[in-house]
Amino acid sequence: MSVSEGAGRSVWRLGGAAQHTLVVAPREQLAGPSAVQLPPPEPAPGLILPDGSINWGCPCLGGMATGPCGAQFREAFSCFHYSEAEPKGSDCYEKFSVMQDCMAQFPQLYDKDDDDDPAGALQAADPPAADPPAVDAPAAPQAADAPRDAVGASH
């Protein structure tokens, strides 16, 4: 802890590397707008930290690193990230298989959402017809393809 005083106020710096600052000032100094300039915020780290390690707290992982299969996910993802095999990750088949087996035990958590599969959502919205058309049945002729006699044209 360090203490400094000046201009009618006291400043205490607390914690390791003075990470917390407490400023006590007279009421007159606090009545107007502050002249304190804050440093620009540091950019949030992404999936890979500056040292090359994996940021397991990244929101981009969608919580996969935690939960009942979090350990298996971290093993498989770490294997892929650090893999030097060609093609990349080809040496991680067993770890991904273990992760997939774990996820199969928790379908309510890891089952594919209909929102992620537009075709599945369409199938759910439109149930199949009672008598689906035959695959190799010829299409009905269109008015443009019909003989001229049929549409009332003269020869």
Side-chain angles (χ1 to χ4, degrees), residues 3-153:
V3 178
S4 61
E5 293 189 29
R9 64 182 185 182
S10 300
V11 178
W12 284 277
R13 300 202 187 280
L14 310 166
Q19 63 187 4
H20 303 288
T21 302
L22 174 67
V23 178
V24 179
R27 197 174 294 267
E28 302 83 47
Q29 283 186 351
L30 299 175
S34 174
V36 173
Q37 294 292 324
L38 297 175
E42 293 183 22
L47 178 60
I48 307 302
L49 297 172
D51 67 357
S53 64
I54 300 169
N55 176 10
W56 296 116
C58 180
C60 61
L61 293 175
M64 292 294 292
T66 59
C69 299
Q72 293 84 347
F73 174 80
R74 290 189 305 272
E75 276 289 313
F77 193 82
S78 293
C79 180
F80 179 81
H81 175 66
Y82 296 112
S83 174
E84 294 181 2
E86 284 298 323
K88 185 173 179 81
S90 60
D91 54 338
C92 304
Y93 175 79
E94 183 62 34
K95 293 183 187 316
F96 277 97
S97 180
V98 168
M99 178 187 77
Q100 189 174 18
D101 290 344
C102 178
M103 290 177 172
Q105 295 174 16
F106 301 94
Q108 69 280 9
L109 293 175
Y110 299 109
D111 198 19
K112 188 187 255 186
D113 291 335
D114 286 340
D115 296 338
D116 294 340
D117 181 14
L122 290 175
Q123 289 173 355
D126 292 331
D131 294 322
V135 173
D136 43 351
Q142 297 295 325
D145 297 336
R148 291 185 177 257
D149 296 333
V151 290

